[in-house]
Amino acid sequence: MKAAFVVLLVSCAGMQAAGPFGISSFSLSGKLTVSNAFLNGVCTVAAAESAAGPWQPVRNVFTTSTVAEATLVVTGASGFYRALARDLDGGREGFTNLTRAYGLLITIAGAGGPQDVNNWRPEYERGPATSAVLSGPHITMADRAGYIYIADKDAHGIRKILHDGTIITVAGTSVVGNGPDELTPGTEVALSGPNGLWVRGDGTLYILDTDNGKVRRLDTNGMMQTLFTVPGGILVGRGLWVSDDETLAYLSSLNVVKRWKADEVVTDFSRNFAQLGNLVVDSAGNVVVTDRSAHQVYRLDAEGNRTVIAGNGLTFGGGDGALATETALEEVRGVWMLPSGAFVVCTHRSSRVWYVDTEGYIHLFLNGNRNGAHAGDGTWFYNPLEARVSECRAVTMDYEGNLLITENDIGFVRKVQFLPFVP
């Protein structure tokens, strides 16, 4: 395993450490800097009360340069810290290092139950998110503060999971409708089938109000207005991405990726797909989009021309350890880019979550089936022989590196925690 390991005794008054790899600074504010990390890796910081341990992982960060920085919650005047850097370069070894950087699989929202109906009830408000029956959730995203948002499509609302694990409605009336376009409290604006969502770091929400053919903006103060309307409507919309400066947006509409620019009309950016799923924009500014019915994932260039980056276009072939472009991704729906340029995808019909490394090889991250699999909560996530998820619609990553997986047809949201599992 490509890894570097260092144990250091540090004081919260600050310290300096020498050596080819190690913690080079640690400030009173808890900001810790590790030097000479892997260019494509994960750095894990663990803490203990004594040099003998036991050691508890407290923070993970992806490294894309030789310097990794993390902010820790400092609870004492002094302590013992150690850092472990793992290399995530392509191949089985890099993937094994990735799996060791992740920990528990848990359910954070949903109680199961029948889907394709409106299950929302007033008594769910401010109750445990895991006691609320969701209604065809399509995507889950988080803001920088750690609040989590769910597009609860068939209940026509956007839900928010608070830090204490309770759930509230922040947009929509939970009854189908077409609310006003002008600035209005979000919970007074009726939505219709919202199945796309984009969350800015500060908590600003952008909602793909699909059946109304609109993209709506929910401010951090709870007020909502229509950002733009799509001429001709949105057909089977799912994917949505909005730039931080709110001058550019992309969305999926059946077989067309559409583009909006501020003060301009919505245009067709790339056409002739089969049935689109989610989309994101990579670090180079290229759209990455899934095509559910073509069983492939594409990267689009500045002109909208596409290149296959995952999926062989079939429902069989390839598999764990094979090239991503030679592997079947039956009804691939979700995609999310990692800081390194690797990415994760999830499939609907075959119900799996896959990791595609920086060399283009694919690895099975979570196994599942369409029969309502719901297993593994409270255990280390990685068990490729057990079906743990079902009907995956979307996979995203929060600002701490945790993976959020939306399981539509059984109505759950799962989290894979970005901290090593300690038995």
Side-chain angles (χ1 to χ4, degrees):
M1 178 181 70
K2 294 180 182 178
F5 183 76
V6 64
V7 180
L8 296 168
L9 282 66
V10 303
S11 166
C12 291
M15 55 77 68
Q16 295 291 324
F21 166 76
I23 300 175
S24 59
S25 66
F26 191 45
S27 70
L28 281 169
S29 65
K31 185 176 181 180
L32 179 147
T33 303
V34 172
S35 59
N36 296 313
F38 291 106
L39 292 175
N40 175 22
V42 169
C43 182
T44 300
V45 179
E49 293 184 0
S50 74
W55 293 94
Q56 182 66 40
V58 293
R59 188 67 191 271
N60 257 359
V61 291
F62 285 102
T63 58
T64 55
S65 71
T66 58
V67 176
E69 292 185 340
T71 300
L72 309 178
V73 177
V74 179
T75 58
S78 64
F80 294 77
Y81 294 84
R82 70 182 186 181
L84 173 66
R86 293 184 174 94
D87 186 6
L88 298 185
D89 276 346
R92 176 58 57 179
E93 187 174 347
F95 176 65
T96 299
N97 284 341
L98 180 78
T99 63
R100 290 174 177 170
Y102 277 90
L104 296 181
L105 171 67
I106 60 174
T107 297
I108 60 171
Q115 299 298 297
D116 299 320
V117 294
N118 189 339
N119 293 308
W120 193 255
R121 300 290 180 267
E123 56 266 30
Y124 295 155
E125 297 284 348
R126 298 198 176 275
T130 52
S131 297
V133 181
L134 301 176
S135 309
H138 264 63
I139 190 169
T140 305
M141 288 187 67
D143 64 18
R144 195 177 298 277
Y147 295 109
I148 296 171
Y149 305 85
I150 306 167
D152 199 13
K153 174 180 177 286
D154 294 325
H156 316 291
I158 307 300
R159 317 299 173 195
K160 179 179 180 178
I161 304 176
L162 305 179
H163 293 153
D164 62 0
T166 58
I167 193 167
I168 61 173
T169 300
V170 293
T173 62
S174 300
V175 177
V176 65
N178 188 0
D181 295 321
E182 62 271 14
L183 206 59
T184 306
T187 52
E188 297 177 11
V189 179
L191 306 173
S192 183
N195 63 350
L197 190 68
W198 189 257
V199 181
R200 212 161 68 190
D202 65 358
T204 302
L205 304 189
Y206 301 92
I207 301 163
L208 195 66
D209 190 4
T210 305
D211 295 341
N212 290 323
K214 299 174 181 179
V215 171
R216 301 187 189 258
R217 179 189 197 270
L218 181 70
D219 294 329
T220 56
N221 62 5
M223 301 296 289
M224 189 157 70
Q225 61 185 319
T226 297
L227 182 63
F228 62 89
T229 299
V230 179
I234 302 170
L235 305 177
V236 194
R238 295 186 184 99
L240 176 65
W241 176 91
V242 182
S243 63
D244 282 348
D245 62 5
E246 207 174 274
T247 62
L248 177 66
Y250 294 98
L251 62 91
S252 301
S253 179
L254 187 58
N255 56 7
V256 179
V257 175
K258 293 182 176 289
R259 180 173 63 188
W260 169 83
K261 292 184 177 181
D263 301 322
E264 294 184 15
V265 297
V266 178
T267 59
D268 291 353
F269 175 66
S270 189
R271 301 179 57 85
N272 300 318
F273 297 94
Q275 186 184 115
L276 293 169
N278 288 314
L279 59 79
V280 291
V281 173
D282 67 17
S283 60
N286 300 308
V287 175
V288 177
V289 63
T290 63
D291 191 336
R292 171 188 179 181
S293 295
H295 317 297
Q296 291 186 308
V297 184
Y298 304 100
R299 177 176 282 112
L300 310 182
D301 65 17
E303 285 72 45
N305 302 308
R306 59 187 184 235
T307 300
V308 177
I309 59 173
N312 62 8
L314 305 172
T315 58
F316 59 91
D320 193 16
L323 285 171
T325 52
E326 297 177 359
T327 297
L329 297 175
E330 188 174 10
E331 295 195 3
V332 59
R333 296 284 291 265
V335 60
W336 194 262
M337 305 301 299
L338 275 63
S340 63
F343 58 97
V344 286
V345 297
C346 67
T347 57
H348 170 189
R349 183 168 293 275
S350 59
S351 300
R352 294 186 177 108
V353 179
W354 297 88
Y355 167 76
V356 181
D357 66 31
T358 53
E359 295 180 6
Y361 290 91
I362 197 165
H363 309 274
L364 183 60
F365 193 84
L366 274 177
N367 200 3
N369 61 43
R370 294 194 72 198
N371 302 321
H374 187 81
D377 274 353
T379 68
W380 187 41
F381 83 97
Y382 188 64
N383 186 342
L385 300 180
E386 181 180 35
R388 296 191 153 189
V389 293
S390 184
E391 299 275 352
C392 301
R393 284 296 197 274
V395 56
T396 66
M397 180 180 288
D398 69 15
Y399 282 85
E400 295 296 314
N402 306 301
L403 288 180
L404 306 176
I405 301 157
T406 308
E407 301 176 70
N408 174 283
D409 286 1
I410 54 174
F412 290 109
V413 178
R414 312 288 288 283
K415 176 193 283 189
V416 183
Q417 295 178 333
F418 189 45
L419 271 182
F421 173 61
V422 178

